[in-house]
Amino acid sequence: MKGRKLLMIPGPIEFEPEVISAMAVATTSHAVPNFIEVFGNSLALMKKIWMAPNGQPFIVAGSGTLAMDMAAANLVEKGDTVLVISTGYFGERFRDILERYGAKTTLLKAAIGETVDLAVIEEALKIKNYKMLTFTHVDTSTGVLVNPEPLAKLANKYNVLSVLDGVCSVAGEEIRQEEWGVDVVLTASQKAIGVPPGLALLVASQRAMKAWKARKTPVLSYYSDWANWYPIMKAYEERRPSYFGTPPVNLIVALETSLKIIAHEGLKNRIERHQRLASAFRASITSLGLKLVPGDKQAANTLTAIYYPENSNGAEFCAKMAANDVIVAGGLLSEIKATYFRVGHMGSVSSKDIIATISAIEQSLDAVGYKFEIGQGLSTFQRALIRLEALR
Ligand SMILES: *Cc1c(COP(=O)(O)O)cnc(C)c1O
């Protein structure tokens, strides 16, 4: 592997070589025409990829957590009520952020590997007035995928703002922000967007911008305040120089490169590639006798969460994986942390990466003493993928 290991975690991911070379351009001023064009074009491409032609995109230096922080800081005032729908670790993080800004939250928590029933959510919306609802598209701790469309429709029915944590889904799972009526869709650069860590990315609907403008109290975070960032985004969209905080110039050059690659592949092709690879990978894993954390109907296409075989040593398994040149992630959800691992397969991922990963999984399972038929996972993946490719 040319001396380096294959990175198969749910972010940072393996990046396209063109994106990595874009990082190495000579750093220019944030106020010169060629960079203004790159920034402005990145904002325009975001609207396409989010499918939000009338949305307001934001690109700000920070991680995905900053994007969550921005949504909370700008849309919540002290005492506002927020319904938080949690399918894992990141749902609870959102609650913590919202409460820091004075929100009164109600947490609807799914059983591990499950989603929260729509009927339960509707019941909650019926009995109390909420200003906002938050939910996670793909919770990276459980590999659970939530269908945003019916949930966003429900939020609209009850006149509640909706915020989608799409950190592990944007450009990997289907998102139609405007058609579905989601008010904020947020992500970070290092996941399916395919750019090294360091950018918080978010698109706000016009309704969300109105809610922000209608605030009675100032935004409690100086760095997150849209009053500072909105004029900057407008300036770049209109190709004017501006300054609030120095943008990470090289990261934004890389972002434009990656967004162009995504647009060139086409969203439909890209989402379907993720679906085919994930589906064949899940078939391969279950053929080895391993169990998945999410139920089959709500398994994400950007990562897979897999229980270790019973009575096996998870830490030893992950160490063997690394020794076999593939880096996977351990567990994240505290209740089951030591019992499972996670494989990221998003962005530039190809069948070759997954074949290398399954091969390393088989070798590592064998090394920790698990009994199975060697080659079973690989042949199941091959057969499933060939079948899925034939259906295209
Ligand atoms: C990774 C992730 C986050 C946090 O993003 P950071 O860039 O690590 O701050 C939030 N939500 C989800 C769903 C994620 O996958």
Side-chain angles (χ1 to χ4, degrees), residues 70-78 80 101 131 208-221 225-227:
M70 280 198 139
N74 287 282
L75 295 176
V76 157
E77 292 183 74
K78 201 169 182 310
D80 282 348
Y101 292 110
K131 176 176 187 183
M209 295 308 289
K210 257 193 214 127
W212 163 67
K213 283 179 190 147
R215 291 177 66 96
K216 295 190 177 66
T217 58
V219 170
L220 291 174
S221 159
D225 192 348
W226 285 344

Side-chain angles (χ1 to χ4, degrees), residues 183-340:
D183 290 298
V184 174
V185 176
L186 60 90
T187 191
S189 50
Q190 78 275 16
K191 304 216 180 164
I193 289 283
V195 176
L199 293 174
L201 306 170
L202 170 162
V203 177
S205 70
Q206 288 309 321
R207 186 166 79 147
M209 295 308 289
K210 257 193 214 127
W212 163 67
K213 283 179 190 147
R215 291 177 66 96
K216 295 190 177 66
T217 58
V219 170
L220 291 174
S221 159
Y222 183 73
Y223 187 70
S224 281
D225 192 348
W226 285 344
N228 291 322
W229 293 110
Y230 175 57
I232 305 304
M233 300 306 133
K234 273 286 152 237
Y236 280 116
E237 286 181 283
E238 291 159 11
R239 306 299 193 266
R240 288 183 281 109
S242 64
Y243 168 74
F244 168 62
T246 309
V249 170
N250 293 55
L251 270 175
I252 292 169
V253 175
L255 174 68
E256 190 205 20
T257 306
S258 196
L259 294 176
K260 279 180 177 166
I261 292 171
I262 295 167
H264 185 256
E265 180 177 14
L267 283 170
K268 184 166 183 288
N269 289 340
R270 189 173 175 92
I271 306 305
E272 287 175 1
R273 170 168 59 82
H274 281 79
Q275 288 170 345
R276 280 195 305 278
L277 291 174
S279 162
F281 181 58
R282 287 193 297 270
S284 155
I285 292 300
T286 52
S287 80
L288 291 170
L290 301 186
K291 293 195 170 56
L292 306 177
V293 176
D296 211 38
K297 283 197 295 280
Q298 58 261 2
N301 299 299
T302 50
L303 89 151
T304 299
I306 306 160
Y307 287 110
Y308 298 121
E310 263 172 55
N311 307 318
S312 69
N313 182 330
E316 189 190 343
F317 171 83
C318 287
K320 296 278 183 212
M321 286 295 289
N324 286 316
D325 285 332
V326 178
I327 311 282
V328 294
L332 180 61
L333 190 72
S334 59
E335 294 96 313
I336 54 169
K337 198 173 165 64
T339 68
Y340 76 111

Side-chain angles (χ1 to χ4, degrees), residues 10 63-66 68 90 93 136 138-140 165-168 188 190-191:
S63 80
T65 306
L66 177 76
M68 298 166 83
F90 289 104
R93 172 172 295 187
T136 316
V138 169
D139 199 294
T140 320
D165 174 351
V167 179
C168 202
Q190 78 275 16
K191 304 216 180 164

